[in-house]
Amino acid sequence: MSDSITNIFVISDSVGETGLSLITAGTVQFPNSKFNIRRFPLTKTISLLQGILNKAKRENAIILHTFVNPELSDYVNNFGKENNLHVIDALTSVVQTLAEITGEKPLNAAGLKHKLNPDYFKRIEALEFAVTYDDGKDPSGFLKADIVLLGVSRTSKTPLSLYLANQGYKVANLPLVPKTQIPKEIYQVDKKRIFGLTNDPEVLNNIRRQRMISYGLDPDTVYSNMDNINQELEFATNLYKELGCLQINVATKSIEETATLIIESLDSED
């Protein structure tokens, strides 16, 4: 393991979200290395770009760019060659390949992904839906939802709902507590749209203890008691079996991984 830090500049003529996602996905594969990632969005002129590149040269930074403007893209690529810098052109080859295959000339317009198109409004509607029907606040939402998430406390129901909503899915979720009545609407939902979240008891115990500590409270409570956690998980598992829904253990999964499993399950049914 090296103590040195690798500087990475993510430069874009849009917000730089694509480039940041790409480099983040790459750097996590190297847990023993240190990276300093900086994003330079909305870089739309050569003069502005020159200042950033000179800074990258001084810091011997890796440059990843997602310019759709060919002039800016070529400028960075040439600068990298002339100054012996590592440059990753993350978009040009993709656009060129698609142009060759489709026979269509690219627009070369930055930020099209973020334009106010129907998909954008669909995501906003889905996000509003997720907030409205979070934590089972209104059982009628279960019948309107594309996806229904069930799970005991601290199984990532809310963040998963919001992540899926950002993909355009209307999501409602319900926290499961033993000895409480399950809304009748749950039994009316197509089982293919219901996903039961569970967790390992030890992992859940640690998460709940840390949550209590973050509130400045005693971590050893009924909420974090292992016997109660096991009872909650058993109650949830029995309900999932009764409903016949897909059960997902989130203990070792990221939000993105769990969401992918859910979306793939929906797609396979379609």
Side-chain angles (χ1 to χ4, degrees):
M1 176 178 176
S2 173
D3 291 331
S4 64
I5 298 177
T6 301
N7 293 310
I8 302 175
F9 283 22
V10 178
I11 317 175
S12 177
D13 43 8
S14 184
V15 295
E17 182 181 287
T18 300
L20 184 62
S21 296
L22 283 170
I23 202 66
T24 301
T27 55
V28 295
Q29 302 299 322
F30 303 91
N32 296 321
S33 299
K34 297 179 181 178
F35 299 96
N36 178 30
I37 302 173
R38 276 172 285 177
R39 179 163 52 162
F40 298 87
L42 304 174
T43 305
K44 298 186 177 184
T45 64
I46 293 293
S47 59
L48 185 58
L49 184 56
Q50 285 174 332
I52 298 170
L53 293 178
N54 287 332
K55 183 176 180 64
K57 180 182 178 180
R58 290 194 298 271
E59 299 184 17
N60 193 32
I62 295 172
I63 300 169
L64 184 147
H65 68 87
T66 55
F67 288 114
V68 294
N69 182 326
E71 181 184 6
L72 296 175
S73 179
D74 290 344
Y75 191 90
V76 177
N77 294 338
N78 292 331
F79 185 93
K81 292 176 183 177
E82 293 168 2
N83 294 278
N84 200 30
L85 291 176
H86 294 286
V87 175
I88 303 170
D89 185 341
L91 197 57
T92 300
S93 62
V94 175
V95 173
Q96 288 177 346
T97 300
L98 292 174
E100 291 172 8
I101 293 173
T102 62
E104 182 179 354
K105 184 178 180 180
L107 294 174
N108 291 328
L112 290 181
K113 178 182 174 183
H114 303 279
K115 295 295 184 182
L116 302 185
N117 56 28
D119 285 341
Y120 171 84
F121 291 105
K122 181 181 179 181
R123 289 198 303 274
I124 294 300
E125 183 181 1
L127 286 166
E128 291 175 347
F129 186 96
V131 172
T132 300
Y133 297 106
D134 185 43
D135 273 346
K137 287 183 286 195
D138 183 352
S140 68
F142 299 129
L143 301 177
K144 306 171 188 175
D146 301 316
I147 297 169
V148 174
L149 302 178
L150 308 178
V152 302
S153 176
R154 315 318 301 167
T155 49
S156 303
K157 296 183 300 298
T158 296
L160 182 56
S161 295
L162 294 174
Y163 182 89
L164 287 165
N166 198 44
Q167 310 300 311
Y169 294 95
K170 293 182 178 179
V171 186
N173 70 72
L174 176 69
L176 299 180
V177 180
K179 299 180 181 179
T180 58
Q181 186 173 0
I182 302 300
K184 66 180 186 302
E185 287 83 358
I186 290 295
Y187 296 97
Q188 299 170 21
V189 177
D190 184 345
K191 67 179 182 181
K192 299 183 184 69
R193 295 194 290 114
I194 303 177
F195 297 87
L197 307 179
T198 188
N199 208 326
D200 292 345
E202 296 77 11
V203 174
L204 204 52
N205 170 260
N206 183 59
I207 293 173
R208 292 184 177 186
R209 284 176 57 84
Q210 292 302 318
R211 183 170 176 80
M212 300 305 291
I213 291 172
S214 70
Y215 287 150
L217 302 173
D218 183 358
D220 296 312
T221 63
V222 173
Y223 182 60
S224 60
N225 179 272
M226 282 297 290
D227 288 338
N228 287 329
I229 286 175
N230 283 318
Q231 289 177 15
E232 289 182 45
L233 291 173
E234 182 180 6
F235 172 76
T237 299
N238 290 336
L239 176 63
Y240 302 156
K241 290 178 180 177
E242 181 184 356
L243 294 171
C245 65
L246 180 64
Q247 180 174 315
I248 302 174
N249 189 325
V250 301
T252 59
K253 293 180 178 63
S254 66
I255 296 295
E256 294 83 357
E257 288 172 320
T258 305
T260 298
L261 286 173
I262 290 172
I263 293 170
E264 287 180 347
S265 177
L266 290 176
D267 289 345
S268 66
E269 292 298 337
D270 289 341

